[in-house]
């Protein structure tokens, strides 16, 4: 019984040491930024549909809300990039990268339809407007968000800037 008490006490001390460490404290809060990506006004006038057949090359981004969260920014494992991803980079006031997140492109919709013989045909469409949350560290404070989409050149994957917005 004394041995179990010692282990639980040791676990409690270890948890206390971890929670008071500077690395833990630096990343203890985050900001959830709700963003909306949409076609620029000129493109919306020329193509007023809600779904687009081709991936948009440029987007207009709007921040709709900010919410402070008492949790750390989730760590992300390295993901293999594809053209179905979106990369979001947060920069501080000195234009240094403070976080990077790779997500499946929220604009993307995959559709499969069957013809009269039952053969499936797939297609990809892009929403002309989509809202989604981005979580960035509270310290250092994010001053700008950049949205990049991967593009395969035939030899390597490159990131094209499609939108950026200052964080209020």
């Amino acid at each position: 019984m004394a041995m179990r008490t010692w282990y639980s006490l040791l676990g409690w001390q270890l948890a206390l040491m971890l929670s008071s460490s500077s690395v833990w404290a630096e990343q203890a809060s985050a900001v959830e930024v709700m963003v909306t990506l949409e076609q620029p006004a000129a493109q919306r006038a020329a193509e007023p549909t809600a779904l687009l057949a081709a991936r948009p090359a440029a987007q207009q981004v709007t921040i709709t809300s900010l919410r402070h969260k008492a949790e750390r920014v989730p760590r992300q494992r390295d993901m293999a990039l594809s053209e179905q991803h979106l990369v979001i980079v947060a920069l501080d006031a000195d234009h240094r990268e403070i976080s990077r997140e790779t997500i499946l492109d929220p604009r993307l919709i995959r559709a499969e339809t069957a013809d009269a013989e039952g053969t499936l045909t797939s297609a990809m469409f892009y929403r002309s407007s989509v809202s989604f949350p981005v979580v960035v560290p509270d310290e250092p404070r994010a001053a700008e968000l950049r949205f990049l989409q991967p593009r395969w050149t035939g030899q390597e994957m490159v990131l094209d800037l499609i939108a950026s917005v200052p964080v209020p």
Side-chain angles (χ1 to χ4, degrees):
M1 181 125 175
M3 189 63 108
R4 263 194 264 185
T5 306
W6 182 79
Y7 280 127
S8 64
L9 179 61
L10 180 62
W12 177 79
Q13 288 173 335
L14 183 59
L16 183 61
M17 286 180 353
L18 286 175
S19 66
S20 63
S21 72
S22 62
V23 173
W24 184 273
E26 284 176 3
Q27 300 177 7
S29 64
V31 177
E32 182 182 79
V33 182
M34 186 60 77
V35 297
T36 300
L37 277 178
E38 58 188 352
Q39 284 183 291
Q43 288 179 353
R44 278 195 310 263
E47 199 173 353
T49 62
L51 295 178
L52 308 171
R55 184 168 68 161
Q59 296 278 262
Q60 178 179 325
V61 62
T62 308
I63 293 179
T64 56
S65 69
L66 296 171
R67 184 174 65 117
H68 291 273
K69 300 173 80 171
E71 60 187 50
R72 295 186 301 175
V73 175
R75 285 202 166 189
Q76 190 174 36
R77 293 183 180 189
D78 288 336
M79 292 184 68
L81 282 179
S82 75
E83 290 188 346
Q84 285 80 44
H85 285 102
L86 197 61
V87 178
I88 303 140
V89 178
L91 304 173
D92 66 10
D94 296 325
H95 300 288
R96 290 183 303 233
E97 184 175 316
I98 58 172
S99 76
R100 177 180 290 242
E101 182 179 6
T102 302
I103 61 173
L104 288 174
D105 193 337
R107 303 170 298 169
L108 182 62
I109 297 174
R110 291 191 177 110
E112 290 186 353
T113 56
D115 61 13
E117 288 85 39
T119 305
L120 289 177
T121 305
S122 66
M124 290 193 301
F125 299 97
Y126 290 84
R127 293 179 181 98
S128 60
S129 178
V130 65
S131 294
F132 58 96
V134 176
V135 179
V136 296
D138 198 16
E139 288 296 326
R141 186 172 166 351
E144 179 184 0
L145 293 177
R146 291 186 182 170
F147 297 82
L148 306 125
Q149 62 187 13
R151 178 176 47 87
W152 180 248
T153 65
Q155 296 179 354
E156 65 180 350
M157 195 67 75
V158 296
L159 295 174
D160 296 326
L161 178 68
I162 60 167
S164 67
V165 65
V167 177

